[in-house]
C-alpha cells in the first residue's frame, strides 16, 4: 500500500529526515513513535507532498508519488488527520465534512456523511455548530470524519489523541478499532504506547530523522526497553 524508502527531507538548509524508511500493507495498522522533533510530522509531510523529499522514493498503491503535489496524493487515496487538526473555523461541522466529500475511486462501502455521523453521533448533534465553537475532541472527530469523507485507502493520523480528555481519547481509539476491523490501512502517530499496542500490527521508532527500531506488537512486547530508549518513559 505505502512504501517510504530511504528519504531525506530538508526545511531550507536544515535537514530533518536522514534516510527514513517505513511500509504499511493493505489492511495493516502501523505506528510511528519517537520523541518530539525526531521527524514524525516531517515524514507525514513528505508522504503527503507538503514538504517533498529531496532523495529516496515513496510508493503508494503501486505508483511513485514522491514528487507529486499534495492534491494528487490525496486524490490517489491518502486521507490525512493533521497535527493540530486544521479544521475550517468558519465552516459548520457539516460543511467541514461536506467540503472534502468524494468517492473518486469508487471505493466499496462508501463513507457517506450519514455513515460518518453514525461513527461519531456527537457530530450529528453538532452539525450546525461552527468549527471554532466545538471542543478539541469534537474538532478531532471532524478531522477524522473529513479524512474519511475522501474515502481513503490509507488513513494517516498525526497525534491522534494529543491534548484530548481521557473519555474522548477512548472514543477515538474505539473508532480506530472499528476502522481497522473494516480493513482500512492506517499509519498512526501518538504517544499512548499501550493504546497503540492494542490497535496496531507493527511499530516504527524514530530518532533523528530515521527509523532506529521496528517490529511487530509481539516483538515490542518482548523488548520493552525499546520504549524507554526511544520515548524515555
Ligand atoms: N517548518 C519547519 N521549518 C524548519 N524546521 C522544522 C520545521 N518543522 C519541523 N522542523 C524541524 O524538523 C525536525 C523534525 O520535526 P518534526 O517532524 O515536526 O518532529 P516530530 O513530529 O517527531 O515532533 C525538528 O528538528 C524540527 O525542529
Ligand atoms: Mg509532530
Amino acid at each position: 500500500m505505502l512504501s517510504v524508502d530511504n528519504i531525506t527531507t530538508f526545511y531550507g538548509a536544515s535537514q530533518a529526515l536522514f534516510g527514513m524508511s517505513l511500509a504499511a500493507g493493505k489492511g495493516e495498522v502501523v505506528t510511528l513513535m519517537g520523541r518530539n522533533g525526531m521527524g514524525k510530522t516531517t515524514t507525514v509531510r513528505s508522504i503527503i507532498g507538503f514538504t517533498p523529499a529531496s532523495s529516496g522514493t515513496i510508493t503508494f498503491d503501486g505508483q511513485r508519488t514522491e514528487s507529486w503535489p499534495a492534491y494528487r496524493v490525496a486524490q490517489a487515496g491518502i486521507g490525512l488527520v493533521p497535527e493540530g487538526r486544521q479544521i475550517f473555523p468558519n465552516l459548520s461541522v457539516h460543511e467541514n465534512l461536506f467540503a472534502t466529500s468524494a468517492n473518486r475511486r469508487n471505493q466499496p462501502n462508501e463513507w457517506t456523511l450519514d455513515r460518518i455521523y453514525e461513527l461519531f453521533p456527537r457530530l450529528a448533534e453538532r452539525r450546525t455548530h461552527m468549527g471554532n465553537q466545538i471542543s478539541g475532541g469534537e474538532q478531532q472527530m471532524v478531522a477524522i470524519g473529513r479524512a474519511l469523507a475522501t474515502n481513503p485507502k490509507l488513513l494517516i493520523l498525526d497525534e491522534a489523541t494529543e491534548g484530548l480528555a481521557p473519555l474522548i481519547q477512548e472514543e477515538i481509539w474505539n473508532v480506530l478499532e472499528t476502522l481497522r476491523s473494516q480493513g482500512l490501512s492506517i499509519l498512526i502517530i501518538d504517544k499512548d504506547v499501550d493504546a497503540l499496542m492494542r490497535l496496531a500490527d507493527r511499530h516504527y521508532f524514530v530518532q533523528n530523522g530515521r527509523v532506529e527500531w521496528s517490529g511487530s506488537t509481539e516483538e515490542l512486547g518482548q523488548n520493552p526497553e525499546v520504549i524507554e530508549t526511544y520515548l524515555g518513559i
Side-chain angles (χ1 to χ4, degrees), residues 46-49 60 65 68-79 105:
S46 293
I47 293 169
I48 298 294
F60 175 68
T65 61
W68 287 13
Y71 75 88
R72 209 173 148 202
V73 174
Q75 286 179 1
I78 298 187
R105 291 166 309 282

Side-chain angles (χ1 to χ4, degrees), residues 9-12 14-17 32-45 51 83 158-159 189 191 206 208-209:
T9 300
F10 291 78
Y11 293 101
S14 162
Q15 187 168 358
L17 299 185
L32 200 49
M33 288 187 263
R35 293 189 187 87
N36 285 339
M38 289 303 171
K40 304 181 297 296
T41 295
T42 305
T43 301
V44 171
R45 292 183 63 86
T51 307
E83 192 172 21
D158 191 354
E159 304 293 358
I189 296 169
K191 298 197 165 55
V206 298
N208 300 325

Side-chain angles (χ1 to χ4, degrees), residues 167-186:
L167 276 174
I168 304 285
Q169 292 185 349
E170 201 52 49
E171 193 173 338
I172 302 279
W173 291 119
N174 288 338
V175 162
L176 293 174
E177 183 56 47
T178 300
L179 297 177
R180 169 209 169 77
S181 71
Q182 293 173 3
L184 188 63
S185 307
I186 301 175

Side-chain angles (χ1 to χ4, degrees), residues 106-154:
N106 292 312
Q107 291 280 99
N109 203 10
E110 178 180 0
W111 282 103
T112 59
L113 296 195
D114 283 347
R115 243 185 104 206
I116 291 167
Y117 286 132
E118 258 169 56
L119 191 68
F120 293 115
R122 194 190 276 261
L123 293 187
E125 294 164 21
R126 298 280 191 275
R127 57 188 289 154
T128 61
H129 290 230
M130 290 300 175
N132 58 7
Q133 293 174 333
I134 57 177
S135 71
E138 289 160 353
Q139 289 181 19
Q140 185 68 333
M141 292 174 192
V142 171
I144 295 172
R146 179 182 59 182
L148 291 175
T150 68
N151 285 279
K153 294 179 174 175
L154 171 70

Side-chain angles (χ1 to χ4, degrees), residues 23-112:
K26 196 169 189 302
E28 209 179 19
V29 180
V30 302
T31 75
L32 200 49
M33 288 187 263
R35 293 189 187 87
N36 285 339
M38 289 303 171
K40 304 181 297 296
T41 295
T42 305
T43 301
V44 171
R45 292 183 63 86
S46 293
I47 293 169
I48 298 294
F50 290 149
T51 307
S54 59
S55 68
T57 63
I58 301 175
T59 309
F60 175 68
D61 202 20
Q63 292 181 285
R64 288 276 296 275
T65 61
E66 68 270 3
S67 59
W68 287 13
Y71 75 88
R72 209 173 148 202
V73 174
Q75 286 179 1
I78 298 187
L80 173 65
V81 180
E83 192 172 21
R85 293 153 205 143
Q86 320 286 354
I87 69 168
F88 296 112
N90 304 323
L91 295 185
S92 69
V93 164
H94 193 75
E95 288 165 342
N96 264 282
L97 297 173
F98 187 73
T100 61
S101 185
N103 190 10
R104 290 193 177 81
R105 291 166 309 282
N106 292 312
Q107 291 280 99
N109 203 10
E110 178 180 0
W111 282 103
T112 59

